[in-house]
Amino acid sequence: MTKRELAPSFIPADVEPRLYSHWVESGYFTADSASSKEPFTIVIPPPNVTGNLHIGHALDQTLQDCLTRMKRMQGYEALWLPGMDHAGIATQNVVEKQLAAQGLTRHDLGREEFVKKVWEWKAESGGQILGQMKRLGDSVDWTREAFTMDETLSQAVLTIFKKLFDADLIYRAERIINWCPRCLTALSDIEVEHQDDAGEFVSVRYGDGEQSIVVATTRAETMMGDGAVAVHPDDPRYKHLIGTEVLLPLVNRMIPIIADELVDPDFGTGAVKVTAAHDPNDFEMAVRHNVPFVVIMNEHGVMADTGTEFDGMDRFDARVAVVAKLKELGRVVEEKRPYIHAVGHCSRCDTTVEPRLSKQWFVKVAPLAKAAGDAVRDGRVKIEPAELAPRYFDWIDNMHDWCISRQLWWGHRIPVWYGPNGEVVVVGPGESAPAGYEQDPDVLDTWFSSALWPFSTLGWPNETADLKKFYPTSVLVTGYDILFFWVARMMLFGLFAMDGVPPFGTIVLHGLVRDQFGKKMSKSKGNVVDPLEFIDKYGADALRFTLARGSNPGKDQALAEDWIAGSRNFATKLWNATRFAIMNGATVEGDLPPLDSLNAIDKWILSRLSETTAEYSELLNTYEFARASEVIYHFAWDDLCDWYLELSKEAFATGNAESTKRVLGFVLDQLFRLLHPLMPFITEELWTSFTGGETLMSAAWPIVDTSHLDKTSENLITELQRVITEVRRFRNDQGVKPSQKIPGRFIAPADIAQYSSAMAFLLKLDLVDFTPSASVEIGSVKCELDLSSAIDIDAERSRLEKDLATARKDLATAEVKLNNQGFMAKAPESVVVEIRERQAAMTADIERITAQLAALK
RNA sequence: GGACGAUUGGCUCAGCGGUAGAGCACCACAUUGACAUUGUGGGGGUCACUGGUUCGAUCCCAGUAUCGUCCA
């Protein structure tokens, strides 16, 4: 490769597609399982096959790509494995919707045809997100792309199912499960979202006279399924009724009054109806007290088999009708409406979930969850940030058995076959069911296969080279919102399947992307943003840098278009600085000149670079993306562009910059490397153009050179900066235009005086003989100027008075401390010294400013 | 009800036992010399409240208030 000229401005759309194809074609993303390098592995949280890239993916993937690219440059065999999830319910819904448009249901097609249709849909319009990931610059290994319904991943599902079944960790049972009457399937606990809905709370009298009791309910329609009324055993109001029976209205059935600790005597009337087949708590009590299960609703949430006028009514219509009827009968004692309470909704379609008695397959989680909790407790798996670990424990230590069967067609069919006489056989990979057996019609929860992702994608259960090289994965990066859905489940299955080796070393949890005011993005609020639009408008690097810069561990971030524009400006800044450097002959050829031959400005930028490299690398290693971004941003913009380039302009202008050309070349080269994980496109373009190198992707990560650390030069440049800022301020106060050259000179100690011409160059001062009409004093430095007219005394006085006030205030605070005996006795020596120095400096300043003020008259 | 977190300039957020920071926004000046997607200078905060610990608290502790998220 050869060095190229840079275009006058950076146009991301001209650069990004070209670079990305080049990267892929060159195989830079492809990891080698035969390599002797230490592995670094990340598996992507698989997006849904139905999904499009949203801003949350953009954040998640930016962080993963950043880590992967950095590790690759640090010499690891880095694998970032991409893929997708078949997303059972979501995908089935999409295809069913298409069928519905033609007036068809999946039953019209039949199971086999329908599943075929879903595969066709996947081939045609699924997986759009993969193309969108390329826009972001994701350095994923496309040769290893996986899909949860792939043959090998399906083998993994069969294998683990059988393994769990044989270990008695999978069982079938009739339980109350969460049922979506629209999707017509069971849901796991976490697929249910609780919302505060406005319902009603109705108190109804059961029985009559002495033999009566008032129960309160939000679900009056279920009363026809009541098998008992429950009270707390110690409740004095009802003690005498325990063991007796009351008449259940509407159906006129006698039901017992039972006592159970589960009842909260302070809630409602302290008496609750027990509807065993339609409520999980009631189910538990019913089992304890032998209360009968009365089913009064079908799978569509329609009342059925009650033998009343309500049969055939939708559950919500029935609720109204039942209350009306009870009122008519004079049985309603009290009504609260609206009554705000938490109601479960299907996370896929938002339909109110109906607890339903049903026979389903479950994973017995207790032993698995114990292991999953212990792996974090004993430090084999770290959760970052640590504050989120209690949330993990809270959940995993109290996890209920996991309902894994779904009454869907799209997904991994449960590998259980039933014989004619009720035999149950689990059919593992490569096995087949005995003749005449029929397979369970249900499929597995999508998260069942996702839970295998860190090893099923590497070829498990086969002992592949990939599995050997890349398992366990290094880091799992994901939003805290799917800690339970996915992360915890990978822990359960990973530890079980892989003989106790946890699926990852560190779990890095980031927050959600919110709108510019910190509000949650939602379609209804209309504040959802499209990352692709931002990429079109500002470039992928700008979006990535913005997201990384906002990403504090485990915390949500606000995002505004203005911030992205700011990052685009940063990219422009880098582009222009590099053009300037090239124009002035900056180079990466040859060795860096010996340090002692360099001027303080060059030594200073090298020192700052070393500090920045150390700090930045450490921050990225600890997943502090926001702070890392901040550090590198300020190094590039403030230290390099605003100060180093400015201070070096005089050297370039006078042709006395041989060393500086090499130092600048070195600093840019290193800066591009550091920034590459966050801004891969622009850094690649700049670096290859500037150095003529093949690719920055495989360039070595900068190493901190401690010999470059130089506090003397840093202190000196800090002094120069103070002087320059003060003179600029003076010029500004005096109304001297920034571009106007005026005569000036410095009276300063030798180490500073040495840089008079550099300072004069950027202060637009002419170092000629003149009679000064004004001066500015900054510590030991005096800058004399010729304003060619009388100075603005008012402006000068107000400037000096302001400085004086500040100095006096600072002196006062310092003296309060020094006069405090407690402070003098107990404060560390270093702090005392610092305050003493401050006192001396402020005293000197006050003296100087006072003299200047006096001289103004 | 339980768990966790937050409360810092107009907005969004860092930070932290020893003189309050950033980005954006705001005000002023500047357009032949990398960059107006810019430069320079400037204004702006009693760090939610009340106690406590400490020589010293925005920071640690306790309580209060408000807000948020997750779980039940």
Side-chain angles (χ1 to χ4, degrees):
Chain A
M1 270 234 188
T2 48
K3 300 183 189 185
R4 293 190 307 270
E5 294 225 342
L6 284 183
S9 63
F10 175 54
I11 300 165
D14 290 351
V15 170
E16 293 173 359
R18 166 167 59 80
L19 290 180
Y20 196 85
S21 330
H22 175 64
W23 288 334
V24 174
E25 284 158 18
S26 307
Y28 296 148
F29 299 167
T30 310
D32 178 7
S33 59
S35 148
S36 59
K37 296 177 182 174
E38 199 181 321
F40 177 83
T41 316
I42 295 184
V43 287
I44 200 167
N48 286 357
V49 62
T50 55
N52 276 287
L53 189 82
H54 61 65
I55 197 73
H57 294 122
L59 167 64
D60 190 49
Q61 293 171 16
T62 293
L63 305 185
Q64 289 171 60
D65 197 34
C66 176
L67 294 175
T68 306
R69 284 178 183 270
M70 175 175 72
K71 291 291 176 179
R72 201 181 278 125
M73 292 173 76
Q74 288 174 346
Y76 289 81
E77 190 60 39
L79 168 62
W80 183 17
L81 196 151
M84 285 186 298
D85 193 283
H86 67 279
I89 300 182
T91 310
Q92 178 159 327
N93 283 352
V94 167
V95 178
E96 284 191 307
K97 223 173 250 175
Q98 287 186 344
L99 290 178
Q102 306 164 39
L104 297 171
T105 72
R106 71 180 200 256
H107 300 282
D108 295 324
L109 272 70
R111 183 164 192 148
E112 205 172 314
E113 271 306 300
F114 178 77
V115 170
K116 211 172 124 195
K117 200 99 195 157
V118 179
W119 277 106
E120 280 169 18
W121 172 86
K122 190 226 169 205
E124 276 169 35
S125 38
Q128 290 190 38
I129 194 165
L130 297 177
Q132 295 163 336
M133 284 166 59
K134 296 175 182 169
R135 296 290 315 279
L136 201 58
D138 290 350
S139 66
V140 292
D141 185 347
W142 292 111
T143 67
R144 286 178 166 86
E145 183 190 326
F147 181 51
T148 46
M149 291 289 282
D150 282 347
E151 185 52 35
T152 56
L153 280 82
S154 300
Q155 291 296 305
V157 168
L158 293 183
T159 307
I160 191 96
F161 191 97
K162 191 167 171 64
K163 215 173 145 152
L164 286 164
F165 185 86
D166 290 345
D168 282 332
L169 293 171
I170 280 184
Y171 65 93
R172 194 176 189 219
E174 190 149 32
R175 292 275 177 83
I176 298 274
I177 45 85
N178 305 296
W179 180 264
C180 175
R182 199 213 64 86
C183 300
L184 296 179
T185 180
L187 302 171
S188 65
D189 290 348
I190 50 173
E191 286 167 303
V192 176
E193 284 175 6
H194 293 271
Q195 297 167 15
D196 277 339
D197 287 357
E200 58 184 31
F201 197 54
V202 182
S203 303
V204 181
R205 179 173 299 279
Y206 286 12
D208 293 290
E210 286 294 301
Q211 198 55 38
S212 78
I213 193 162
V214 176
V215 300
T217 180
T218 57
R219 305 188 58 209
E221 75 282 7
T222 64
M223 65 173 284
M224 285 151 334
D226 287 0
V229 170
V231 298
H232 192 274
D234 303 330
D235 194 327
R237 290 171 294 180
Y238 305 121
K239 225 161 182 172
H240 65 288
L241 290 171
I242 294 168
T244 66
E245 292 190 328
V246 287
L247 184 74
L248 177 66
L250 301 183
V251 290
N252 295 322
R253 188 152 40 82
M254 292 303 284
I255 54 171
I257 294 172
I258 59 170
D260 195 287
E261 300 270 351
L262 200 67
V263 180
D264 176 3
D266 298 326
F267 183 76
T269 59
V272 297
K273 56 203 272 313
V274 179
T275 320
H278 294 274
D279 182 278
N281 289 328
D282 293 5
F283 177 87
E284 274 184 48
M285 284 196 276
V287 169
R288 282 197 286 270
H289 299 276
N290 271 317
V291 174
F293 298 85
V294 184
V295 176
I296 51 141
M297 227 182 261
N298 67 18
E299 72 262 37
H300 300 284
V302 171
M303 308 304 290
D305 303 328
T306 67
T308 65
E309 62 199 273
F310 306 107
D311 278 0
M313 289 177 89
D314 174 78
R315 53 190 168 150
F316 298 115
D317 298 336
R319 183 175 302 168
V320 176
V322 164
V323 173
K325 181 75 180 180
L326 289 169
K327 262 182 167 165
E328 205 181 301
L329 297 171
R331 294 203 163 267
V332 174
V333 177
E334 196 186 351
E335 289 177 90
K336 278 187 206 158
R337 198 178 286 114
Y339 176 75
I340 308 295
H341 63 133
V343 177
H345 293 256
C346 172
S347 61
R348 277 293 151 208
C349 70
D350 208 41
T351 302
T352 301
V353 162
E354 191 62 39
R356 183 160 192 258
L357 187 65
S358 153
K359 202 167 196 182
Q360 304 285 346
W361 286 94
F362 294 86
V363 171
K364 190 195 283 179
V365 297
L368 300 169
K370 172 76 168 61
D374 287 347
V376 176
R377 261 184 286 272
D378 66 22
R380 279 178 296 150
V381 176
K382 278 196 297 239
I383 292 182
E384 297 282 355
E387 299 96 87
L388 287 172
R391 199 179 273 205
Y392 171 81
F393 292 130
D394 190 46
W395 193 77
I396 207 143
D397 293 341
N398 301 297
M399 192 175 173
H400 295 145
D401 280 358
W402 172 14
C403 175
I404 50 170
S405 41
R406 295 289 178 277
Q407 289 64 51
L408 303 172
W409 287 352
W410 175 239
H412 301 281
R413 193 154 171 187
I414 292 180
V416 174
W417 296 67
Y418 305 106
N421 302 311
E423 299 95 330
V424 174
V425 174
V426 173
V427 177
E431 302 171 355
S432 51
Y437 277 46
E438 279 197 22
Q439 188 171 10
D440 193 301
D442 292 350
V443 300
L444 290 163
D445 181 4
T446 295
W447 299 100
F448 190 93
S449 51
S450 318
L452 312 175
W453 190 250
F455 45 95
S456 63
T457 52
L458 294 171
W460 188 88
N462 300 313
E463 287 189 26
T464 59
D466 272 7
L467 193 64
K468 216 167 170 182
K469 179 79 181 175
F470 297 111
Y471 189 91
T473 69
S474 312
V475 183
L476 182 86
V477 180
T478 191
Y480 62 72
D481 55 327
I482 59 168
L483 182 61
F484 307 138
F485 277 96
W486 187 49
V487 181
R489 292 193 168 158
M490 285 190 288
M491 291 290 287
L492 299 181
F493 281 6
L495 288 160
F496 177 75
M498 305 303 290
D499 301 319
V501 179
F504 19 74
T506 306
I507 299 165
V508 174
L509 297 168
H510 60 248
L512 310 177
V513 180
R514 294 166 169 272
D515 77 3
Q516 59 180 316
F517 302 113
K519 298 287 173 219
K520 206 167 183 171
M521 287 187 188
S522 72
K523 279 183 193 155
S524 56
K525 274 190 229 156
N527 60 351
V528 177
V529 299
D530 179 2
L532 296 168
E533 271 178 34
F534 287 140
I535 292 175
D536 289 341
K537 204 164 166 188
Y538 301 103
D541 293 323
L543 177 63
R544 291 170 59 117
F545 191 75
T546 308
L547 290 169
R549 195 178 185 184
S551 186
N552 285 113
K555 292 210 174 169
D556 290 352
Q557 66 170 297
L559 179 74
E561 184 162 351
D562 277 356
W563 308 182
I564 300 166
S567 298
R568 184 270 321 266
N569 296 353
F570 179 49
T572 308
K573 193 78 183 169
L574 294 169
W575 189 267
N576 285 317
T578 309
R579 284 176 63 225
F580 173 81
I582 292 172
M583 192 186 306
N584 283 286
T587 178
V588 290
E589 308 289 329
D591 292 336
L592 216 48
L595 284 174
D596 53 19
S597 73
L598 298 178
N599 67 37
I601 301 166
D602 290 332
K603 285 195 271 195
W604 164 76
I605 198 68
L606 289 175
S607 183
R608 285 292 306 128
L609 175 67
S610 274
E611 288 171 347
T612 303
T613 301
E615 200 180 346
Y616 176 75
S617 300
E618 175 59 19
L619 288 168
L620 284 184
N621 272 323
T622 52
Y623 318 106
E624 293 267 11
F625 296 98
R627 291 176 62 195
S629 306
E630 208 60 24
V631 163
I632 200 73
Y633 175 91
H634 286 291
F635 173 76
W637 201 313
D638 299 351
D639 290 338
L640 182 63
C641 294
D642 287 350
W643 288 107
Y644 181 70
L645 293 182
E646 291 301 324
L647 282 167
S648 301
K649 275 182 177 172
E650 188 255 351
F652 285 127
T654 56
N656 184 25
E658 281 318 300
S659 292
T660 299
K661 285 177 191 172
R662 184 64 190 90
V663 171
L664 175 55
F666 176 76
V667 173
L668 281 178
D669 174 26
Q670 300 287 107
L671 174 63
F672 296 148
R673 291 171 197 238
L674 293 171
L675 266 172
H676 183 256
L678 291 173
M679 306 179 89
F681 291 111
I682 190 172
T683 51
E684 174 81 335
E685 184 69 3
L686 289 174
W687 188 83
T688 53
S689 302
F690 178 53
T691 66
E694 167 70 21
T695 178
L696 187 45
M697 280 195 61
S698 53
W701 188 253
I703 297 166
V704 179
D705 187 337
T706 48
S707 74
H708 287 183
L709 294 174
D710 183 349
K711 282 294 161 197
T712 310
S713 297
E714 287 196 22
N715 291 337
L716 182 63
I717 301 305
T718 303
E719 276 305 294
L720 296 188
Q721 290 173 335
R722 268 187 70 207
V723 171
I724 289 161
T725 305
E726 283 302 311
V727 176
R728 279 173 175 163
R729 184 171 158 229
F730 178 81
R731 286 181 55 128
N732 215 298
D733 290 346
Q734 290 296 323
V736 179
K737 298 199 168 167
S739 58
Q740 190 188 334
K741 260 196 168 177
I742 58 173
R745 64 172 159 252
F746 297 96
I747 298 157
D751 54 348
I752 291 175
Q754 201 183 337
Y755 299 100
S756 291
S757 48
M759 289 193 288
F761 191 88
L762 92 184
L763 282 168
K764 299 272 192 279
L765 299 183
D766 250 338
L767 293 173
V768 292
D769 268 344
F770 68 101
T771 310
S773 64
S775 71
V776 187
E777 287 184 50
I778 312 99
S780 59
V781 179
K782 187 173 190 182
C783 177
E784 292 182 335
L785 302 155
D786 180 7
L787 295 181
S788 76
S789 62
I791 70 162
D792 180 340
I793 291 188
D794 287 342
E796 178 64 352
R797 178 174 293 123
S798 94
R799 183 175 72 90
L800 289 172
E801 274 170 355
K802 201 180 146 209
D803 287 354
L804 185 61
T806 311
R808 281 186 173 145
K809 200 176 141 224
D810 289 353
L811 179 65
T813 10
E815 287 184 337
V816 163
K817 291 199 172 195
L818 295 171
N819 291 332
N820 180 333
Q821 289 188 350
F823 174 80
M824 294 309 283
K826 298 194 177 173
E829 185 59 23
S830 63
V831 175
V832 176
V833 168
E834 196 189 313
I835 304 284
R836 278 224 174 91
E837 281 170 358
R838 196 183 303 153
Q839 179 196 32
M842 289 307 110
T843 307
D845 274 3
I846 288 166
E847 204 171 302
R848 177 173 55 74
I849 298 167
T850 310
Q852 282 181 276
L853 274 169
L856 270 185
K857 285 167 191 154

